[in-house]
Amino acid sequence: MIWAQNSISKSLIQKAESISGDKFTRSAKTKNGAIIYAVQKPSKAMLKAIDKGLNDLFKLAKKNGYKARLKYSDYIIFVAKPDRLTDSDGNYIPNFKVPLGQYAGTDYDQGGFMYAAGIVFSQEYGAFMVAENEKRLEQVTEVVRFEGEPLVLYHNDRKRYVETADHSKGGGHPILQ
């Protein structure tokens, strides 16, 4: 995606805002070129953690023989405000509420929504969302890698993408080993 494609950016921003309920008023690029939209200006450490997550993803993708969508600029990452900072066991894992979709009635169902540290919402444009997290940036790196996995699969191995895209049918992350 080219940074100046405002109509694409606007439609993705609107979609992200409808999912998270946030207003993404800040934009940035990581040092390596990933496009970031955020509620508040992300720190340099947060941007570095995002680049590391994508770097880890690209290494695994290449190890698996994948070649498409392995540039930082292929990804648009939204950084949303967390709706909670700890999971049900009290561990610090910032999450945001998202609509259930196909996860309604599964273990993920929290009463009409689910909590997620990340969510993919545009395979075509490589767009996904992660929760703000300035305390444990290794979690950001991991979430970026995990949310990037289905995007790599979508553009390189559609069969494996279909088999692993719906976590309500079992499976989860990591997908790529």
Side-chain angles (χ1 to χ4, degrees), residues 19 23 25 28 37-39 42 47-49 59 61-62 69 71 79 82 90 92 96-97 107-109 121 126 163 171:
I19 292 168
K23 293 288 181 199
T25 58
Y37 289 102
V39 175
L47 296 174
K48 187 175 178 180
K59 283 181 185 175
K62 289 174 185 173
R69 294 294 182 119
K71 294 185 297 192
V79 181
Y92 179 79
F96 47 90
K97 290 180 181 180
D107 291 343
Y108 297 101
D109 195 331
F121 63 92
E163 291 170 354

Side-chain angles (χ1 to χ4, degrees), residues 84-95:
R84 70 176 186 179
L85 295 176
T86 58
D87 66 11
S88 57
D89 294 327
N91 301 307
Y92 179 79
I93 302 176
N95 287 254

Side-chain angles (χ1 to χ4, degrees), residues 6-60:
N6 289 331
S7 64
I8 291 171
S9 298
K10 285 179 184 178
S11 68
L12 286 175
I13 290 169
Q14 289 171 342
K15 186 162 187 172
E17 289 177 348
S18 74
I19 292 168
S20 72
D22 293 323
K23 293 288 181 199
F24 295 96
T25 58
R26 302 290 198 150
S27 63
K29 282 188 181 182
T30 66
K31 183 179 178 183
N32 292 329
I35 299 163
I36 308 298
Y37 289 102
V39 175
Q40 57 190 359
K41 182 180 178 184
S43 69
K44 288 182 182 179
M46 178 77 164
L47 296 174
K48 187 175 178 180
I50 290 169
D51 270 347
K52 182 174 180 348
L54 289 172
N55 187 56
D56 293 351
L57 171 68
F58 299 158
K59 283 181 185 175
L60 282 168

Side-chain angles (χ1 to χ4, degrees), residues 54 75-78 119-121 126-130 144 147-148 151:
L54 289 172
Y75 294 86
I76 303 168
I77 301 164
F78 289 80
I119 183 172
V120 173
F121 63 92
F128 62 91
M129 190 179 308
V130 300
V144 167
E147 297 307 317
L151 295 169

Side-chain angles (χ1 to χ4, degrees), residues 108 163-164 166-175:
Y108 297 101
E163 291 170 354
T164 60
D166 187 343
H167 301 322
S168 70
K169 296 179 180 170
H173 297 287
I175 299 168

Side-chain angles (χ1 to χ4, degrees), residues 54-156:
L54 289 172
N55 187 56
D56 293 351
L57 171 68
F58 299 158
K59 283 181 185 175
L60 282 168
K62 289 174 185 173
K63 180 181 164 188
N64 282 271
Y66 302 137
K67 296 178 181 171
R69 294 294 182 119
L70 302 183
K71 294 185 297 192
Y72 295 86
S73 60
D74 290 333
Y75 294 86
I76 303 168
I77 301 164
F78 289 80
V79 181
K81 282 218 169 283
D83 293 309
R84 70 176 186 179
L85 295 176
T86 58
D87 66 11
S88 57
D89 294 327
N91 301 307
Y92 179 79
I93 302 176
N95 287 254
F96 47 90
K97 290 180 181 180
V98 295
L100 281 171
Q102 75 269 23
Y103 298 101
T106 70
D107 291 343
Y108 297 101
D109 195 331
Q110 299 294 307
F113 64 91
M114 64 186 252
Y115 287 108
I119 183 172
V120 173
F121 63 92
S122 176
Q123 291 82 1
E124 183 180 357
Y125 295 109
F128 62 91
M129 190 179 308
V130 300
E132 288 178 344
N133 181 337
E134 295 293 338
K135 217 178 202 184
R136 295 193 54 211
L137 293 169
E138 67 276 4
Q139 290 174 342
V140 173
T141 296
E142 185 175 86
V143 172
V144 167
R145 183 196 137 197
F146 289 171
E147 297 307 317
E149 289 177 337
L151 295 169
V152 165
L153 291 173
Y154 181 84
H155 292 282
N156 288 278

